[in-house]
Amino acid sequence: MGDGSVAPRLGNMKALLGIVAGAGASYGIYKLISGGSFKRGKKSVTTSESPGVRSSQPGEVTLQRGSLLAKVSGLDVVCPRPDVASADIIHQSPSNLEPQHLKMLLSCLQTSNNSSDRCRILLTLGNAAAFTVNQNLIREFEGIHIIAGFLSDPAAEVRVQTLNALNNLCMNIPNQEQIKVYVPQVLELIEMSPVNSDLQLGALRLLTNLSVTDKHQHLLKESITLLLSLLVVSNEALQVQTLKVLVNLSSNPDMMDDIVQAQAPASVVLLFDARTASPVLLRLLTFAGNLKAWRPSAQVADELRRTQDCLFRVMLDESSQLHSRLVQLLSHPDGEIQSQVARILT
């Protein structure tokens, strides 16, 4: 692609942003940029009551009413082949985006002054990052640091899309080495955002992927109290996501000392109740099972008993209500919950 063709196309990226919404639309950008051309003059798209919208120029494609291209007013598009319908564009995969298109999106992200545009670009990059080849390319283009820079964007919806994009990029192990430096900022978003917000959910999803292996779990050892506190005030979706992180951390014996010493709200044990949603309760029981499998020395246990409000006293000490609550759950109607409780008690 020569310099003469890139400049006008970059100049029209703002118009493209109107159609960047979802996985199919991101491929639409690829098709429009690589196969079509944008005319300098702005022309109107004539809409009639007939089944399609036809271009006034001979040889151009007929657009279906309600299709993606028909809705883009003011954008003069010449499709590469008359037999390619707009429906084919919106159903294509973002895995077909080529390296130069990812570069263009990252460049536009850095220069955009419009929060809606930034959201659409981040959404497209996030969808593209669901594919390994794009995960690697975005890293090689320094895209992770560019994207992560928007964790502090003033618009909440931009921060949400940033977290979603980083979450997909985090599925790639080499990418985690770059993403891990933003853990303090992600934790701050959880702490400062409204409870049950999309920001908290997106941040927890990212931490879940980052904590699947034990390599980066130590970065979260200071956040146990935050996670436990969130657990008792959030809705079901956030509770499930919080517990996914806690289960990951508690699966690592090297993290157990930090977990049991963390300050914990006494009301955590109240969640071990038949009225708690089953997806939450199952993960709570997994977390409790991991804690119960930990065997401290008598000296360590005595020290923990003297630590006020720590998780050990709330859930593992002899004075804890957890045991009696687990016994009550043996009669839970869900057989899987019964089995988990039985394993913990034996």
Side-chain angles (χ1 to χ4, degrees):
M1 185 179 292
D3 292 340
S5 62
V6 171
R9 293 175 189 181
L10 282 173
N12 285 279
M13 279 303 293
K14 192 166 185 180
L16 280 174
L17 295 174
I19 59 172
V20 183
S26 62
Y27 181 74
I29 283 189
Y30 160 51
K31 294 295 287 184
L32 293 175
I33 294 175
S34 61
S37 62
F38 299 95
K39 297 184 179 179
R40 295 181 183 273
K42 185 176 180 181
K43 298 173 65 177
S44 62
V45 178
T46 304
T47 305
S48 68
E49 296 183 3
S50 61
V53 179
R54 185 175 297 276
S55 166
S56 60
Q57 297 296 322
E60 292 184 4
V61 68
T62 298
L63 304 180
Q64 297 298 315
R65 180 192 300 172
S67 67
L68 179 63
L69 297 184
K71 292 179 179 178
V72 185
S73 61
L75 181 61
D76 194 15
V77 178
V78 179
C79 292
R81 298 191 307 274
D83 59 339
V84 177
S86 60
D88 294 332
I89 296 175
I90 63 175
H91 292 300
Q92 294 293 334
S93 167
S95 64
N96 291 325
L97 283 170
E98 294 185 0
Q100 65 267 29
H101 305 133
L102 294 173
K103 281 185 176 180
M104 291 169 70
L105 288 170
L106 289 168
S107 176
C108 288
L109 181 61
Q110 291 177 285
T111 58
S112 173
N113 294 320
N114 184 286
S115 62
S116 296
D117 291 350
R118 294 195 296 276
C119 279
R120 294 187 183 104
I121 296 171
L122 286 164
L123 176 61
T124 302
L125 288 168
N127 288 336
F131 299 89
T132 302
V133 62
N134 292 333
Q135 292 168 357
N136 292 328
L137 285 170
I138 290 172
R139 181 183 69 251
E140 292 166 8
F141 296 154
E142 300 296 328
I144 291 175
H145 298 305
I146 293 172
I147 291 169
F150 292 89
L151 286 171
S152 57
D153 193 278
E157 62 271 21
V158 173
R159 299 197 297 274
V160 169
Q161 292 301 335
T162 299
L163 288 165
N164 292 342
L166 290 174
N167 182 41
N168 281 350
L169 288 165
C170 196
M171 301 297 290
N172 182 300
I173 298 299
N175 287 353
Q176 292 185 3
E177 292 300 317
Q178 295 187 18
I179 293 172
K180 69 180 183 181
V181 302
Y182 300 102
V183 166
Q185 201 169 349
V186 173
L187 290 170
E188 185 179 3
L189 279 176
I190 294 175
E191 188 171 5
M192 302 303 294
S193 300
V195 176
N196 299 326
S197 63
D198 289 340
L199 274 169
Q200 286 189 331
L201 189 59
L204 287 166
R205 284 173 176 157
L206 175 57
L207 295 181
T208 300
N209 282 337
L210 198 60
S211 63
V212 168
T213 65
D214 58 10
K215 188 172 184 180
H216 306 302
Q217 290 178 349
H218 65 282
L219 299 172
L220 301 178
K221 66 181 182 179
E222 302 297 332
S223 67
I224 307 300
T225 296
L226 171 63
L227 296 172
L228 292 170
S229 300
L230 190 61
L231 191 59
V232 299
V233 298
S234 56
N235 60 20
E236 180 181 338
L238 224 67
Q239 285 177 323
V240 167
Q241 206 64 50
T242 302
L243 283 164
K244 286 181 179 180
V245 180
L246 288 170
V247 167
N248 285 348
L249 299 180
S250 62
S251 299
N252 181 0
D254 293 336
M255 287 291 296
M256 198 58 69
D257 286 350
D258 295 295
I259 293 173
V260 297
Q261 292 180 64
Q263 296 291 293
S267 54
V268 166
V269 293
L270 300 180
L271 293 172
F272 291 86
D273 188 277
R275 291 167 294 184
T276 298
S278 292
V280 175
L281 191 52
L282 283 168
R283 288 172 175 84
L284 266 173
L285 290 168
T286 302
F287 179 54
N290 289 344
L291 295 179
K292 288 281 190 179
W294 178 69
R295 295 287 185 267
S297 65
Q299 180 181 356
V300 170
D302 286 340
E303 290 177 359
L304 288 170
R305 288 189 184 99
R306 292 193 292 269
T307 305
Q308 189 174 4
D309 298 328
C310 70
L311 185 62
F312 177 85
R313 290 187 60 176
V314 172
M315 289 186 62
L316 297 178
D317 194 25
E318 294 173 355
S319 61
S320 171
Q321 300 178 32
L322 180 60
H323 182 80
S324 61
R325 287 185 164 272
L326 289 175
V327 172
Q328 294 175 20
L329 288 174
L330 284 171
S331 59
H332 196 283
D334 188 316
E336 188 176 357
I337 288 175
Q338 289 182 24
S339 298
Q340 284 223 42
V341 171
R343 282 196 295 271
I344 294 173
L345 291 175
T346 55

